[in-house]
Amino acid sequence: MSDALLEVKDLKTYFFVEDKIIKSVDGVNFTIKNGETVAIVGESGSGKSITSLSIMGLVPKPNGKIVEGSIKFSGDELVGLPEKKMNKIRGNDIAMIFQEPMTSLNPVFTIGNQITEALLHHQNLKKSEAKKRAVELLKLVGFARAEQIIHEYPHQLSGGMRQRVMIAMAMSCDPKLLIADEPTTALDVTIQAQILELMRDVKKKFNSSILLITHDLGVVAEMADRVLVMYGGQVVEETSVDEIFEKPKHPYTSGLLASIPKIEEERKRLEQIPGTVPSADNFPRGCRFAPRCSKVMPRCTDAPPDLLKVEPDHKVRCYLYELS
Amino acid sequence: MYTYILRRLFLFIPVLFGVTVFVFLVMNIIPGDIASIILGTEATPELKEQLRQEFGLNLPLYQQYWNWISGVFVGDFGNSLRTGAPILPEMLNRFSLTFELTIFAAIISWMIAIPMGILAAVKRNTKGDIGIRFVSLLGVSIPNFALATLLILILSLFFNYYPPVGYVGFLEDPRRNLEILLIPAIVLGTSMAGSLMRMTRSSILEILGQDFIRTAQAKGISQKMVLFKHALRNAIIPVLTIIGMQIGYLLGGTIIVEQIFSLPGLGQMVLTGINQRDFPVVQGTILFIATIFVTVNLIVDILYSYLDPRISYD
Ligand SMILES: Nc1ncnc2c1ncn2[C@@H]1O[C@H](COP(=O)(O)OP(=O)(O)O)[C@@H](O)[C@H]1O
Ligand code: SF4
Ligand SMILES: [Mg+2]
């Protein structure tokens, strides 16, 4: 386990709103190794973003709180770390890019100002050096006229360009871990492909690990080494990317796979998983997927199943694979 | 940008023309005339007629208006019918007081409202926030005259303060001048602070919920930098609108506060002018105030484009 970069154990992040407890992340475990790309997939509302924000220490205040669990980064505990120390890690060792490139950059500061900000903060560079570095980074993410771009404002760039800027900004301090929360969801299909390619590129150059969050299994297939499937604030399946596409075990994963459009099977009606994600303040008593599961059994609604290792590199949370 | 400013300046003409015509008509509709006011109890129809003749009040309306506006074009605002004194110098003189009072009051209001607004936003829904919001609600709802009288009462009871008699210009005696203006400025400043604080609070709160704030936090910069660099620069843009409006209003004179503190400001001049149906005074001062108002608006719009790169007037 010495090559584990990030170890998340029993993470529980809840929101306390009025008299409700919203269990957005409810006992999540996973590990990211050095150089690995791990994807978290799941429908909207399954707790992916809150998991990533928990790692960043940016759970929305004042309602949200990590109530339990541990997040170890390079062996150091992040949960409960004072803000000052966390600020030395954020943007420096762990960087993050977000879903909405259109609104994720500050409209009143130049691109150059926003890229150099982390450099100046973390790396003690002089202004001129930081500026030089910003230009290099922008070239690296594909801006031919980087020298001009640093003087421009976000509104002068397209969504795809802004996401490139976000990537340049995130990579500025050479982070060990890049968290990308749905980095291509808001973009056109052709731009999506370009951004994914850029991320692969950047990952190779910087030799960093990536935690990629997406609801798109197509993106997973292109990018990830390993996959976590999340549902109702929990991991329901975890395995390698090959396994997940060839031998999915959890009925939810099979449902997700059945709903990706395939080019070969022209215009066949997509199978959708019936029903919706349960709301995080009121989960079913047993298996959280039971109300939507086509394979539901009597015991499924009694008590929740555990995430169990069913093969050397395959964990699943489902009674179908648990011997009673 | 320069063509934009020129275009806006050009637009001043119809606006100001409209204002003067409107005021002119209103002054002619309201009952009472300067002749009977000047003559008072001695008024006889003959004497009144003679005065009206002298002031040109019997000319057709368009003729009267033309006589007045053609003077304005060459910088002659005419003389007060009541005192015979030229209007422009008095107006400028009074404006210097009003201007000083406005700046003084504005600075007081910013010093209260902006830090309090930021604090309330950052500490939202805590006791501190609720307290600040309550006080600002008071500030918004207590009328100026009540606050002024209350303040005078309290200060005179406990600090031997009395509203000054006679005004001293800043250049004559700066110390005395500031002493005279301090209390009126506090009254105006605190009453402006209420709405300004509410605007600052809601504006900061809105910005703090934006995605780019999370981006800034994700860079690991301090909470202070996130607030004062990323949030404030954005939040100040809508706050500027309120500031511009408040300054515009104050520069037009503050009739009530000037009355209470017997300050010879612009507001007082308008009020006396109206009461005495001294139409060149009213026309002149209102044109002057309207000009200031549209100019302040223009300045605010220009500031917008400096603060917000998305706004471009080209
Ligand atoms: N600020 C918040 N306050 C209350 N509940 C929240 C908040 N943010 C997220 N949640 C809840 O947490 C759950 C998981 O959200 P999220 O992690 O954003 O899902 P995903 O990223 O997988 O779409 C959802 O049920 C959502 O309603
Ligand atoms: S535990 Fe039961 S309900 Fe849940 S996924 Fe497995 S079969 Fe379906
Ligand atoms: Mg999300």
Side-chain angles (χ1 to χ4, degrees):
Chain A
M1 278 304 249
S2 65
D3 59 349
L5 178 65
L6 184 82
E7 288 179 86
V8 175
K9 280 212 180 102
D10 284 325
L11 180 67
K12 294 188 180 173
T13 306
Y14 293 176
F15 286 90
F16 300 86
V17 181
E18 286 151 25
D19 52 352
K20 281 190 294 196
I21 300 176
I22 299 167
K23 301 181 174 178
S24 303
V25 177
D26 202 16
V28 162
N29 290 282
F30 66 95
T31 303
I32 301 177
K33 295 189 199 128
N34 277 309
E36 195 179 29
T37 298
V38 173
I40 303 184
V41 275
E43 287 164 292
S44 174
S46 47
K48 308 181 298 292
S49 293
I50 301 300
T51 303
S52 59
L53 290 175
S54 302
I55 299 167
M56 290 297 282
L58 292 178
V59 177
K61 278 185 259 187
N63 295 330
K65 204 169 171 280
I66 295 180
V67 291
E68 233 184 274
S70 133
I71 300 169
K72 282 209 170 114
F73 180 75
S74 301
D76 300 326
E77 181 60 57
L78 300 186
V79 176
L81 203 64
E83 197 69 2
K84 264 221 171 103
K85 290 196 172 152
M86 196 65 212
N87 271 340
K88 291 219 163 73
I89 296 172
R90 279 201 279 259
N92 194 20
D93 299 317
I94 309 178
M96 183 159 179
I97 59 178
F98 301 95
Q99 176 171 354
E100 290 295 338
M102 297 312 273
T103 51
S104 290
L105 289 166
N106 193 325
V108 305
F109 295 108
T110 60
I111 302 297
N113 181 316
Q114 298 187 58
I115 295 185
T116 51
E117 201 171 15
L119 285 167
L120 293 170
H121 179 70
H122 292 296
Q123 308 216 326
N124 265 332
L125 293 186
K126 283 201 221 96
K127 267 218 166 112
S128 57
E129 296 168 333
K131 195 175 146 186
K132 236 180 88 198
R133 183 87 187 108
V135 171
E136 285 170 20
L137 284 160
L138 283 171
K139 291 212 162 123
L140 192 105
V141 298
F143 285 99
R145 7 169 250 120
E147 281 91 356
Q148 285 106 291
I149 295 287
I150 55 168
H151 299 295
E152 290 185 4
Y153 289 93
H155 73 272
Q156 293 167 281
L157 308 180
S158 68
M161 285 159 96
R162 291 189 208 185
Q163 202 59 301
R164 285 175 192 270
V165 170
M166 286 294 291
I167 293 173
M169 210 157 83
M171 301 318 288
S172 62
C173 296
D174 194 359
K176 299 195 191 90
L177 175 64
L178 173 66
I179 303 177
D181 188 354
E182 312 240 11
T184 58
T185 305
L187 302 173
D188 295 342
V189 184
T190 46
I191 312 289
Q192 281 189 12
Q194 292 171 13
I195 295 292
L196 290 179
E197 194 185 327
L198 173 63
M199 285 181 59
R200 273 197 303 267
D201 227 43
V202 157
K203 181 193 145 132
K204 241 186 262 155
K205 284 206 179 94
F206 289 81
N207 195 22
S208 48
S209 304
I210 295 182
L211 176 60
L212 175 69
I213 287 167
T214 178
H215 63 264
D216 182 349
L217 278 163
V219 171
V220 174
E222 283 196 48
M223 301 287 296
D225 302 316
R226 227 145 37 77
V227 184
L228 303 162
V229 181
M230 264 188 94
Y231 188 81
Q234 297 177 326
V235 176
V236 295
E237 184 160 6
E238 176 184 347
T239 185
S240 70
V241 72
D242 296 334
E243 239 348 70
I244 209 96
F245 286 100
E246 281 159 28
K247 285 182 271 166
K249 293 203 187 308
H250 200 283
Y252 178 61
T253 312
S254 310
L256 287 178
L257 284 165
S259 63
I260 345 178
K262 292 193 189 72
I263 307 167
E264 312 93 78
E265 306 167 24
E266 268 176 68
R267 290 179 188 270
K268 221 177 101 184
R269 248 189 71 224
L270 292 181
E271 285 176 54
Q272 289 291 340
I273 308 170
T276 51
V277 178
S279 75
D281 62 311
N282 191 15
F283 286 124
R285 185 159 58 101
C287 172
R288 291 181 181 179
F289 187 57
R292 303 170 71 188
C293 182
S294 56
K295 307 220 166 107
V296 62
M297 306 170 284
R299 68 186 290 209
C300 299
T301 49
D302 279 348
D306 292 323
L307 184 67
L308 295 177
K309 195 176 264 188
V310 292
E311 272 167 37
D313 185 27
H314 204 148
K315 290 182 192 163
V316 63
R317 187 191 293 276
C318 172
Y319 284 128
L320 291 172
Y321 305 91
E322 202 174 302
L323 305 170
S324 47
Chain B
M1 189 68 185
Y2 293 107
T3 52
Y4 169 78
I5 295 174
L6 276 180
R7 208 166 55 228
R8 282 286 297 269
L9 287 175
F10 191 72
L11 274 176
F12 279 14
I13 297 169
V15 171
L16 296 177
F17 176 73
V19 169
T20 57
V21 170
F22 179 75
V23 174
F24 185 78
L25 291 178
V26 170
M27 284 303 286
N28 272 286
I29 289 167
I30 50 176
D33 74 337
I34 179 115
S36 22
I37 292 169
I38 289 182
L39 293 168
T41 49
E42 294 158 43
T44 65
E46 294 75 34
L47 274 175
K48 271 189 356 191
E49 190 50 36
Q50 197 187 326
L51 259 185
R52 291 182 61 85
Q53 201 74 40
E54 201 179 300
F55 293 152
L57 296 178
N58 288 336
L59 295 172
L61 283 185
Y62 68 87
Q63 188 88 49
Q64 288 185 40
Y65 182 78
W66 174 250
N67 286 348
W68 175 75
I69 197 96
S70 55
V72 169
F73 275 126
V74 294
D76 177 11
F77 278 68
N79 297 347
S80 160
L81 300 183
R82 173 79 195 199
T83 64
I87 290 168
L88 187 61
E90 182 176 357
M91 214 156 60
L92 292 177
N93 211 353
R94 283 169 176 266
F95 179 64
S96 72
L97 180 154
T98 300
F99 184 76
E100 198 193 331
L101 183 60
T102 300
I103 299 301
F104 209 169
I107 290 173
I108 289 174
S109 107
W110 301 341
M111 280 180 359
I112 302 171
I114 294 177
M116 286 296 160
I118 296 172
L119 194 71
V122 173
K123 307 253 172 223
R124 66 182 163 285
N125 298 333
T126 61
K127 282 191 186 120
D129 174 30
I130 293 167
I132 291 173
R133 274 154 68 194
F134 179 73
V135 173
S136 83
L137 192 64
L138 279 185
V140 174
S141 31
I142 296 181
N144 272 343
F145 72 87
L147 184 62
T149 342
L150 205 69
L151 211 59
I152 291 175
L153 195 67
I154 293 172
L155 290 173
S156 62
L157 277 177
F158 298 105
F159 297 98
N160 209 12
Y161 168 87
Y162 52 92
V165 267
Y167 171 72
V168 183
F170 185 78
L171 294 177
E172 288 164 57
D173 183 351
R175 211 195 122 107
R176 180 80 191 118
N177 169 273
L178 291 181
E179 270 173 20
I180 292 172
L181 290 186
L182 179 65
I183 304 300
I186 288 177
V187 170
L188 290 172
T190 47
S191 74
M192 282 152 79
S195 51
L196 192 61
M197 191 244 104
R198 294 162 79 79
M199 190 67 203
T200 308
R201 177 183 180 276
S202 66
S203 179
I204 297 243
L205 269 185
E206 196 204 313
I207 298 294
L208 285 179
Q210 302 277 323
D211 289 345
F212 60 78
I213 293 296
R214 203 183 41 198
T215 308
Q217 289 169 332
K219 284 183 197 170
I221 56 177
S222 69
Q223 202 55 40
K224 265 203 201 96
M225 274 288 270
V226 173
L227 183 65
F228 288 104
K229 179 181 170 184
H230 289 272
L232 201 57
R233 244 316 280 287
N234 281 279
I236 209 73
I237 296 167
V239 170
L240 187 68
T241 313
I242 302 273
I243 289 182
M245 266 163 45
Q246 290 182 332
I247 290 192
Y249 278 119
L250 283 195
L251 284 179
T254 52
I255 295 178
I256 292 169
V257 170
E258 285 171 16
Q259 272 322 80
I260 293 177
F261 292 95
S262 38
L263 294 171
L266 212 48
Q268 224 184 34
M269 189 172 174
V270 182
L271 188 66
T272 336
I274 294 175
N275 282 339
Q276 304 183 332
R277 308 291 186 272
D278 195 344
F279 92 87
V281 169
V282 178
Q283 289 277 89
T285 44
I286 293 204
L287 174 60
F288 186 75
I289 290 168
T291 311
I292 288 165
F293 204 86
V294 286
T295 309
V296 169
N297 264 320
L298 176 60
I299 292 172
V300 167
D301 284 348
I302 293 170
L303 281 178
Y304 272 157
S305 76
Y306 280 103
L307 287 175
D308 189 344
R310 285 165 298 183
I311 298 176
S312 142
Y313 297 127
D314 300 323

